[in-house]
Amino acid sequence: MQSEELNDCSRCNVSLKSIFCELDKNAIQTIYESKKSHTFKKGEVIYIENSYPRYLFCINSGKVKITQMGTDGYEQIMHLAGDGELIGYRAILCGDKYKRTAVAMEDSSVCLIPVDIFLSCVKENQKVAFKVFQLFSKELQDAEKKVIDIAQRPVIERISQSLLLLKESFGVESDGITLKIVIRRDELASIAGTTRETATRILCELNTKQIIRLSGKKIQIINSE
C-alpha cells in the first residue's frame, strides 16, 4: 500500500458519484482533515474477510473486486466497484467483521475515512443516511437478481449479461467497443457463476459469431443487442 498526497475532497472528480456530495463545506473539510489517501497496487488486498473495519474506503480511481470464499474453496466475485464507489460500509454499520475481501484489480487510488468520521456523517446528515439506505437496497436487489439468474438462465446468457454489466459499470474506450477493464477468464466465470473452462468456451463462441471480439486480454463488444 503506497501513501500519496491527499486528494482534496472539495475538488474531487468523483464527488458527485459519492454519498458525500450531500455534505456541507464544514463536514467535507472534516473528512479531508481526517482521511488518508493510498494507492493499492494491482492484486493488493484492501481489506480482508473476518477482519474488523477501521476505515470506510472511497475509490477515487481504479477498479476493485469484492470477493467471498465459497464452500468449495473457490473465490466468488460478489461485486465490482469503480470510481466514486464506497466499499466496506456494511461491516461498519453492522458493527461486525468484514464478510468479504476487497482486492485491487488494477492500481487504484483509494481514500480511507476513519470509521467514527463516517458514522458521524450518517448520524448527523439525513440525506447521507438515506443514500446509505439506497446502497443497502441496491446491493440486496443485485444479490437477489444474481441468485435468480444463476438458477434460471443458460450460461451463455449469464456470460453475456456479465459483459454488459462490465460495460455499464466501467464504460468503453474511445473506440466505443473495447471494455475499459481487463478481466481474467476466471474472474468473468466467477461473476457469471460458472467455471473458467465454460467461460472461455462461451467467449470463443461469441467471438466466432462476431458478437464480441477478443483482442489479447481485452474484450470488445461488437453487438450489444
Side-chain angles (χ1 to χ4, degrees):
M1 183 172 66
Q2 177 182 333
S3 297
E4 59 184 31
E5 199 173 315
L6 283 180
N7 295 309
D8 188 339
C9 297
S10 62
R11 300 178 182 177
C12 181
N13 293 329
V14 297
S15 61
L16 293 179
K17 298 180 183 179
S18 167
I19 65 170
F20 299 120
C21 65
E22 301 290 351
L23 295 177
D24 59 32
K25 291 182 179 179
N26 290 334
I28 289 175
Q29 184 63 24
T30 298
I31 291 177
Y32 174 66
E33 292 173 353
S34 306
K35 73 173 186 174
K36 301 177 181 179
S37 293
H38 291 290
T39 295
F40 290 87
K41 295 296 184 182
K42 179 180 179 181
E44 191 173 357
V45 173
I46 298 173
Y47 61 80
I48 192 165
E49 191 175 339
N50 289 323
S51 63
Y52 282 103
R54 295 172 56 207
Y55 300 101
L56 172 76
F57 300 90
C58 182
I59 303 172
N60 185 263
S61 65
K63 299 174 182 65
V64 175
K65 62 179 179 179
I66 312 300
T67 69
Q68 189 168 5
M69 195 62 67
T71 54
D72 55 3
Y74 287 97
E75 173 188 278
Q76 177 70 46
I77 295 179
M78 309 303 293
H79 179 64
L80 296 175
D83 300 0
E85 288 194 61
L86 301 179
I87 57 175
Y89 64 90
R90 187 165 67 172
I92 294 173
L93 295 174
C94 293
D96 200 359
K97 296 179 181 179
Y98 293 118
K99 302 301 182 185
R100 297 168 181 173
T101 297
V103 180
M105 298 181 72
E106 62 184 34
D107 291 358
S108 301
S109 175
V110 181
C111 293
L112 285 65
I113 302 169
V115 167
D116 58 334
I117 299 297
F118 169 58
L119 290 176
S120 294
C121 289
V122 174
K123 291 175 181 176
E124 296 171 9
N125 191 299
Q126 191 175 32
K127 289 183 178 179
V128 171
F130 182 71
K131 283 188 173 292
V132 170
F133 172 75
Q134 287 180 313
L135 289 178
F136 265 110
S137 299
K138 186 178 186 308
E139 186 175 330
L140 179 60
Q141 186 180 46
D142 290 345
E144 290 174 342
K145 183 178 183 299
K146 187 167 186 177
V147 169
I148 293 172
D149 286 345
I150 290 176
Q152 298 180 354
R153 290 184 180 273
V155 66
I156 190 169
E157 288 189 24
R158 303 203 305 268
I159 292 291
S160 298
Q161 280 189 322
S162 298
L163 293 174
L164 292 175
L165 173 65
L166 294 174
K167 180 180 179 181
E168 179 183 347
S169 300
F170 302 114
V172 292
E173 295 180 4
S174 57
D175 61 6
I177 57 174
T178 303
L179 293 177
K180 264 189 179 178
I181 181 173
V182 175
I183 189 163
R184 302 195 311 265
R185 300 298 186 256
D186 60 315
E187 291 174 328
L188 180 62
S190 179
I191 296 170
T194 187
T195 64
R196 183 186 188 281
E197 292 75 17
T198 300
T200 300
R201 176 176 58 80
I202 295 297
L203 287 176
C204 290
E205 183 178 333
L206 293 172
N207 182 73
T208 300
K209 292 180 178 179
Q210 297 185 341
I211 295 173
I212 67 169
R213 181 184 300 136
L214 302 177
S215 178
K217 293 184 178 180
K218 295 192 174 183
I219 299 175
Q220 299 174 331
I221 298 181
I222 307 299
N223 187 342
S224 292
E225 292 298 322

